[in-house]
């Protein structure tokens, strides 16, 4: 695949990337079908957190959705290390190893387009691309804080051994401003070299063994962690926190369980003050559910509720995933995980996609450290782990220390159509739009036609539909010189229609698209490159609504 002069190379489809990978594998003499299986599993592991990624993966490869999770579980270790087939090619000194590594980079790029991609997926893809290229002597121009600085080189071809070393992970450098996702993807497809970043060792580069560089980065990380930990949590009474919980859209069973947990823990606290014996009650929780069902919102409220009861001293929420717990070298993961836990002491540590920690020695090191820290700080720390039900059950069962500490599981059901309409309405109102009854009726039609299952976006789905509607609303009024206030506010059924207007809005007078995204009536986004951030990590480069507070949604979208 070549890059057009002066242009951005289009992202390959997953099937095309796997076909190219197979072609290299055949030239290298690998077994038929082995490379395709490996590439498909790698793509699943990278796209695991993206809403609707399981369906997109299954549809493109013609496989059952259930196989997505098995494939992802088998390949998580390759997020930060060369794949099994690439390792074999490198060890035997195959002349095709470099071509295979570059073909794997195209697979990581294709994985970013599955479902509703997020910057988190793109970040994971960058780490994975660096690991594959590093195995064949291509070094990435940077590292995460605490890891070796730019200029570190990989072993010579044939010298790498599995488990011996993991290579530095890339950071984005050389951009004059915050890059959008297409720039990130283009940088990844270029083999890790960012626009404007000089090649070769950088000034001030130090080897991995330099303790001063690691200490400096560690101090910066601790400063950030301390700042996060000291963020003020609103002073509210227990009744006020519970009222805020009850105001959320839907989640009836979730609310009942949080109320029950609060009552039990409050009474145990009062018994302890009276000198009465107390049963050992774990405070840690497992949240099961699809994306966009309010898990992060409820976790934030749990911190406030437990603080009001007196179980936590601060009540802050620290939200992380695997990338913020696992380092690039064995031994550094324990330090990194401990620092994250330190930032959460006094509040709630929320680990999204916690199951991604299983399956490799780096994740196991993080889990072992987490179990120890949970015990050391059991009086002033609550840990909540979240993800899909099946993988989460495997995660808890993978370590006896986890099973004994996570005894309470709360399942977050998908929102009903009525609840999604309520979320859509509240989102609209928060942005000074009024959805007409006819518009809401059209939204119900879209909901009825949308398949539900693992990966359904729930609150994020409603948000995506609204973003598309706002774009069509603007296009509908493009020729109105002086629209009235009502025209500027009202959303009509045609604003939710499946047509080519948003594509034409990109600038092509004949209605053809010159942009890179188009929206469908079901709120998903069809991209020729990556588009808006589907997660709640912050606004994406094409995020029409911008950051919307949880209070605006009153129902959450995580």
């Amino acid at each position: 695949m070549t890059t057009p002069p002066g242009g951005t190379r289009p992202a390959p489809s997953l099937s095309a990337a796997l076909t190219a990978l197979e072609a290299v594998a055949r030239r290298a003499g690998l077994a038929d079908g082995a490379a395709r299986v490996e590439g498909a599993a790698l793509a699943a592991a990278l796209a695991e957190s993206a809403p609707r990624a399981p369906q997109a993966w299954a549809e493109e490869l013609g496989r059952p959705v259930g196989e997505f999770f098995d494939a992802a579980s088998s390949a998580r270790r390759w997020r930060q290390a060369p794949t099994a087939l690439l390792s074999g090619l490198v060890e035997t000194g195959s002349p095709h190893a470099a071509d295979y590594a570059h073909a794997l980079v195209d697979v990581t790029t294709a994985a970013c387009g599955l479902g509703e991609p997020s910057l988190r997926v793109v970040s994971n893809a960058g780490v994975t691309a660096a690991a594959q290229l590093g195995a064949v002597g291509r070094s990435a121009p940077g590292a995460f804080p605490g890891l070796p600085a730019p200029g570190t080189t990989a072993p010579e071809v044939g010298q790498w051994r599995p488990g011996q070393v993991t290579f530095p992970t890339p950071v984005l450098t050389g951009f004059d401003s915050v890059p959008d996702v297409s720039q990130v993807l283009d940088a990844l497809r270029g083999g890790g070299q960012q626009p404007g970043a000089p090649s070769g060792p950088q000034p001030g580069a130090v080897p991995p063994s330099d303790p001063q560089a690691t200490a400096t980065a560690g101090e910066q990380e601790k400063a950030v962690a301390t700042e996060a930990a000291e963020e003020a949590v609103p002073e509210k009474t227990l009744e006020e926190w519970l009222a805020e919980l009850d105001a959320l859209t839907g989640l009836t069973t979730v609310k009942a369980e949080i109320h029950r947990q609060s009552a039990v823990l409050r009474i145990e606290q009062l018994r302890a003050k009276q000198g009465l014996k107390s049963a050992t009650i774990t405070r840690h929780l497992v949240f099961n559910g699809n994306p966009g069902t309010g898990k992060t919102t409820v976790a934030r409220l749990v911190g406030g509720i437990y603080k009001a009861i007196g179980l936590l001293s601060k009540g802050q929420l620290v939200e992380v995933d695997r990338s913020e717990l696992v380092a690039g070298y064995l031994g550094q993961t324990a330090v990194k995980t401990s620092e994250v836990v330190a930032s959460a002491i006094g509040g709630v540590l929320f680990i999204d996609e916690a199951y991604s920690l299983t399956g490799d020695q780096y994740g196991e090191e993080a889990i072992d450290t987490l179990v120890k820290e949970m015990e050391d700080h059991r009086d002033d720390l609550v840990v909540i782990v979240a993800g899909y039900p099946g993988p989460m059950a495997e995660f808890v069962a993978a370590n006896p220390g986890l099973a004994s500490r996570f005894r309470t599981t709360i399942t977050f059901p998908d929102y009903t159509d009525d609840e999604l309409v309520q979320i859509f309405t509240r989102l609209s109102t928060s942005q000074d739009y009024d959805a007409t009854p006819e518009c809401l009726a059209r939204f119900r039609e879209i909901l009825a036609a949308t398949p539900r299952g693992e990966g359904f976006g729930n609150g994020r789905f409603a948000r995506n539909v609204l973003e598309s509607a706002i774009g069509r609303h603007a296009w509908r009024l493009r020729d109105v010189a002086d629209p009235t206030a009502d025209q500027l506010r009202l959303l009509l059924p045609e604003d939710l229609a499946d047509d080519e207007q948003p594509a034409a809005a990109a600038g092509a007078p004949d209605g053809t698209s010159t942009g890179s995204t188009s929206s469908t009536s079901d709120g998903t986004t069809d991209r020729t490159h990556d588009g808006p951030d589907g997660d709640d990590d912050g606004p994406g480069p094409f995020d029409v609504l911008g950051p919307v507070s949880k209070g605006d949604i009153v129902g959450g979208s995580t």
Side-chain angles (χ1 to χ4, degrees):
M1 183 176 295
T2 60
T3 304
T8 299
R9 185 170 67 174
S13 67
L14 179 57
S15 58
L18 294 178
T19 299
L21 185 70
E22 282 188 302
V24 177
R26 281 194 295 271
R27 293 197 297 271
L30 298 178
D32 288 344
R36 189 173 189 85
V37 170
E38 180 176 85
L42 179 63
L46 291 174
E48 199 168 16
S49 64
R52 300 194 64 77
Q55 290 83 350
W57 181 91
E59 181 179 352
E60 186 157 358
L61 301 184
R63 295 166 64 177
V65 173
E67 291 186 7
F68 173 88
F69 298 100
D70 293 335
S73 177
S74 70
R76 288 178 193 136
R77 64 189 183 278
W78 297 332
R79 287 177 177 174
Q80 292 182 307
T83 66
L85 292 180
L86 177 59
S87 299
L89 292 175
V90 171
E91 288 182 344
T92 59
S94 170
H96 301 285
D99 288 341
Y100 192 83
H102 281 281
L104 284 172
V105 171
D106 272 346
V107 171
T108 67
T109 303
C112 294
L114 294 175
E116 300 174 25
S118 70
L119 289 176
R120 178 182 297 173
V121 175
V122 175
S123 176
N124 288 340
V127 174
T128 304
Q132 311 314 312
L133 295 173
V136 294
R138 309 298 203 271
S139 61
F144 286 133
L147 296 183
T152 304
T153 57
E156 296 296 328
V157 174
Q159 299 302 309
W160 185 86
R161 294 292 182 273
Q164 180 185 32
V165 67
T166 310
F167 303 104
T169 50
V171 293
L172 298 175
T173 58
F175 290 105
D176 295 328
S177 59
V178 177
D180 66 26
V181 184
S182 64
Q183 290 176 291
V184 176
L185 290 175
D186 195 45
L188 294 181
R189 288 192 291 273
Q193 183 68 35
Q194 319 312 336
S199 58
Q202 304 300 307
V206 293
S209 58
D210 189 328
Q212 183 176 358
T214 302
T216 301
E219 290 171 1
Q220 293 174 347
E221 194 167 317
K222 287 179 182 178
V224 173
T226 302
E227 182 180 348
E230 294 176 351
E231 288 182 1
V233 175
E235 291 294 339
K236 299 179 182 178
T237 65
L238 175 60
E239 291 71 22
E240 287 174 327
W241 282 111
L242 291 175
E244 188 174 342
L245 172 71
D246 292 337
L248 299 178
T249 299
L251 306 177
T252 302
T253 57
V254 173
K255 295 172 185 175
E257 182 59 31
I258 297 297
H259 273 275
R260 190 189 72 81
Q261 287 284 318
S262 302
V264 170
L265 293 171
R266 173 178 171 273
I267 294 300
E268 287 304 308
Q269 192 85 341
L270 294 174
R271 284 174 57 86
K273 288 181 179 179
Q274 295 295 328
L276 301 175
K277 293 181 179 180
S278 298
T280 302
I281 301 176
T282 178
R283 310 171 181 182
H284 311 297
L285 302 169
V286 178
F287 284 1
N288 286 339
N290 275 332
T293 48
K295 297 186 292 295
T296 304
T297 301
V298 173
R300 176 182 61 81
L301 293 175
V302 166
I305 290 169
Y306 284 11
K307 179 188 178 185
I309 293 174
L311 294 173
L312 295 174
S313 59
K314 299 176 182 177
Q316 83 279 14
L317 176 70
V318 176
E319 182 181 0
V320 299
D321 62 6
R322 176 189 167 100
S323 67
E324 291 156 288
L325 298 173
V326 173
Y329 292 85
L330 286 176
Q332 290 183 333
T333 289
V335 175
K336 191 172 184 179
T337 301
S338 295
E339 290 175 347
V340 169
V341 173
S343 73
I345 292 175
V348 174
L349 176 61
F350 181 82
I351 306 176
D352 198 14
E353 304 169 53
Y355 46 75
S356 65
L357 292 172
T358 60
D360 63 66
Q361 55 192 337
Y362 301 96
E364 290 170 3
E365 183 181 358
I367 292 174
D368 291 340
T369 304
L370 181 64
V371 169
K372 179 181 181 301
E373 294 288 347
M374 290 169 68
E375 179 62 25
D376 292 346
H377 304 287
R378 61 184 180 275
D379 294 330
D380 201 18
L381 175 70
V382 170
V383 178
I384 299 177
V385 293
Y388 294 110
M392 285 305 300
E394 296 175 5
F395 165 74
V396 173
N399 186 301
L402 294 177
S404 63
R405 287 167 175 79
F406 290 103
R407 297 178 184 174
T408 301
T409 298
I410 300 178
T411 299
F412 285 66
D414 286 342
Y415 288 115
T416 65
D417 286 4
D418 287 342
E419 290 165 349
L420 287 171
V421 169
Q422 185 179 0
I423 291 173
F424 181 86
T425 302
R426 285 173 168 170
L427 274 172
S428 304
T429 302
S430 73
Q431 299 300 311
D432 284 333
Y433 284 94
D434 291 334
T436 64
E438 294 79 11
C439 178
L440 295 179
R442 172 58 184 150
F443 181 54
R444 287 184 180 276
E445 293 174 359
I446 293 173
L447 291 174
T450 302
R452 307 292 174 90
E454 289 188 328
F456 175 65
N458 287 284
R460 298 177 193 170
F461 177 90
R463 178 187 174 99
N464 288 346
V465 173
L466 179 59
E467 288 183 356
S468 298
I470 290 174
R472 292 189 179 95
H473 168 269
W475 178 255
R476 177 167 55 82
L477 298 179
R478 67 191 182 280
D479 295 326
V480 180
D482 189 17
T484 65
D486 282 346
Q487 286 177 313
L488 292 171
R489 283 201 317 266
L490 293 179
L491 293 176
L492 305 179
E494 52 263 39
D495 295 327
L496 273 64
D498 186 10
D499 55 39
E500 297 300 321
Q501 290 172 346
D510 60 354
T512 58
S513 174
T514 59
S516 57
T517 65
S518 62
S519 301
T520 62
S521 61
D522 64 1
T524 59
T525 305
D526 184 20
R527 301 174 177 88
T528 54
H529 64 68
D530 207 343
D533 187 356
D535 291 328
D536 285 344
D537 306 327
F542 307 110
D543 194 339
V544 175
L545 296 183
V548 178
S549 70
K550 299 297 181 186
D552 293 333
I553 299 175
V554 194
S557 61
T558 63

